[in-house]
Amino acid sequence: MKRSIVLVLSLIFSLSIFAQGIEMKPISVSINGGGYAGMQPMGDYEGNQLYDLGVVELDAKYMFNENFGVMLGSRYNTINLGEDVNNTNYVNCFAHLVADVGPLMGSENMGLCFHLGAGAAAMWQKDRFSENTTSRMFNKADEIITMGAGINYYIKINEQWAYHMAYNYTMHTQQSRHFDMGELIDNSSFEARYMSFTLGVSYHFEF
């Protein structure tokens, strides 16, 4: 797995060297996948390593100009708890402000975005609770308010396409249970957190 990631990154970088100066379209949609780590609290199970896969993210971004924009996204995470145990399903929907410092990096085809914002999440396990267990919105789910930030390094292919390498850090409040959906959390005020690292591609366009 580690060797495959290195080969992919090397290919992406080599392609960017031969690209001409590119101006991207202001609207984009992207799909990304990768690994996660640093989940706290995990309960009775050890957290995953960052190269363990389990994250899929879909987002849309609109740039008001070359430096600032907004992003709406949704992230799905399968939290692997081991053999003979139901995995935890996690979904997070978020809205972030975006600052693109790519023009300051001195490269026409490589750049860097920072984003920050809030969202709402839910996590659940199959057959974990009885049918009469209810939550604020979804039955048998732990519903969460999130605050998140991230860094997105991108490499332009042409006006429509770009590669992405992204790091995201998310904090939770109002989370009721550990990520293994076991014990209750004593303090639900931003005690829970995790991070993800993904690779992906985006399509850029305008109306």
Side-chain angles (χ1 to χ4, degrees), residues 13-27:
F13 183 77
S14 63
L15 290 174
S16 69
I17 294 176
F18 299 100
Q20 301 299 315
I22 299 169
E23 182 177 352
M24 304 299 291
K25 303 296 183 180
I27 305 172

Side-chain angles (χ1 to χ4, degrees), residues 108-130:
E108 295 182 337
N109 299 321
M110 295 181 286
L112 194 66
C113 284
F114 295 91
H115 54 91
L116 172 70
M123 64 179 186
W124 70 96
Q125 283 183 5
K126 181 182 179 182
D127 303 325
R128 179 72 186 191
F129 300 110
S130 62

Side-chain angles (χ1 to χ4, degrees), residues 10-125:
S10 299
L11 177 60
I12 291 173
F13 183 77
S14 63
L15 290 174
S16 69
I17 294 176
F18 299 100
Q20 301 299 315
I22 299 169
E23 182 177 352
M24 304 299 291
K25 303 296 183 180
I27 305 172
S28 65
V29 292
S30 66
I31 184 168
N32 309 278
Y36 63 101
M39 283 190 164
Q40 295 292 333
M42 277 298 297
D44 296 331
Y45 298 90
E46 294 182 2
N48 286 55
Q49 299 299 317
L50 194 56
Y51 51 79
D52 291 331
L53 302 181
V55 179
V56 177
E57 183 174 315
L58 179 67
D59 61 62
K61 183 170 62 177
Y62 176 73
M63 299 300 295
F64 303 117
N65 51 49
E66 66 177 6
N67 297 117
F68 298 103
V70 293
M71 179 174 65
L72 300 176
S74 180
R75 182 183 303 119
Y76 173 78
N77 205 142
T78 299
I79 304 171
N80 185 8
L81 302 175
E83 297 180 0
D84 302 322
V85 179
N86 285 332
N87 294 334
T88 298
N89 299 289
Y90 172 91
V91 172
N92 181 19
C93 298
F94 54 88
H96 284 191
L97 298 175
V98 178
D100 190 340
V101 298
L104 303 178
M105 296 183 63
S107 173
E108 295 182 337
N109 299 321
M110 295 181 286
L112 194 66
C113 284
F114 295 91
H115 54 91
L116 172 70
M123 64 179 186
W124 70 96
Q125 283 183 5

